[in-house]
């Protein structure tokens, strides 16, 4: 993977915590993905608050796992990190998006 081959670069940019940081970008894209799938399913911009909070919860945890992985010199395989993330999607959120698209593909 690109990240694994460029470890030092990603460790360096992980130190940048302001607007347009790597984690902010990952968080925004992940929020966009989940909220888009949910809006597609519900056909509305107004989503149940518990689903929005499930997205917030997952994205926050994903940020921590990603930051820890990069700070830890990416010793764990990317496939393991991806598996951890997928395995920790809140159950309610996972059930809701399973109808629209598989997150494992």
């Amino acid at each position: 993977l690109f990240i694994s081959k460029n470890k030092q670069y990603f460790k360096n940019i992980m130190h940048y915590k302001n607007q347009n940081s790597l984690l902010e970008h990952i968080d925004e894209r992940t929020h966009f993905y989940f909220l888009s799938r949910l809006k597609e399913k519900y056909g509305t911009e107004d989503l149940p608050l518990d689903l929005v909070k499930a997205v917030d919860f997952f994205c926050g945890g994903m940020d921590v796992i990603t930051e820890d992985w990069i700070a830890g010199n990416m010793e764990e395989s990317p496939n393991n990190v991806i598996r951890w993330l997928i395995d920790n999607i809140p159950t309610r959120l996972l059930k809701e998006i399973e109808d629209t698209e598989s997150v494992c593909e």
Side-chain angles (χ1 to χ4, degrees), residues 54-85:
V55 171
D56 292 344
F57 181 80
F58 175 71
C59 290
M62 186 188 70
D63 291 346
V64 171
I65 288 173
T66 303
E67 186 171 22
D68 287 351
W69 178 62
I70 292 173
N73 204 28
M74 298 168 241
E75 291 181 13
E76 200 62 48
S77 77
N79 287 338
N80 283 346
V81 175
I82 291 167
R83 177 57 39 208
W84 294 338
L85 294 172

Side-chain angles (χ1 to χ4, degrees), residues 22-97:
L22 176 62
L23 282 180
E24 181 182 277
H25 176 72
I26 292 170
D27 188 80
E28 286 175 0
R29 297 305 308 156
T30 305
H31 266 90
F32 177 80
Y33 170 79
F34 281 107
L35 294 175
S36 294
R37 298 289 74 76
L38 293 170
K39 289 173 185 176
E40 182 180 297
K41 179 178 181 175
Y42 282 86
T44 180
E45 292 289 316
D46 296 323
L47 298 171
L49 185 58
D50 64 322
L51 287 176
V52 174
K53 293 303 178 187
V55 171
D56 292 344
F57 181 80
F58 175 71
C59 290
M62 186 188 70
D63 291 346
V64 171
I65 288 173
T66 303
E67 186 171 22
D68 287 351
W69 178 62
I70 292 173
N73 204 28
M74 298 168 241
E75 291 181 13
E76 200 62 48
S77 77
N79 287 338
N80 283 346
V81 175
I82 291 167
R83 177 57 39 208
W84 294 338
L85 294 172
I86 291 171
D87 287 348
N88 286 287
I89 296 172
T91 304
R92 168 97 197 278
L93 180 57
L94 189 58
K95 286 178 184 176
E96 293 289 338
I97 64 169

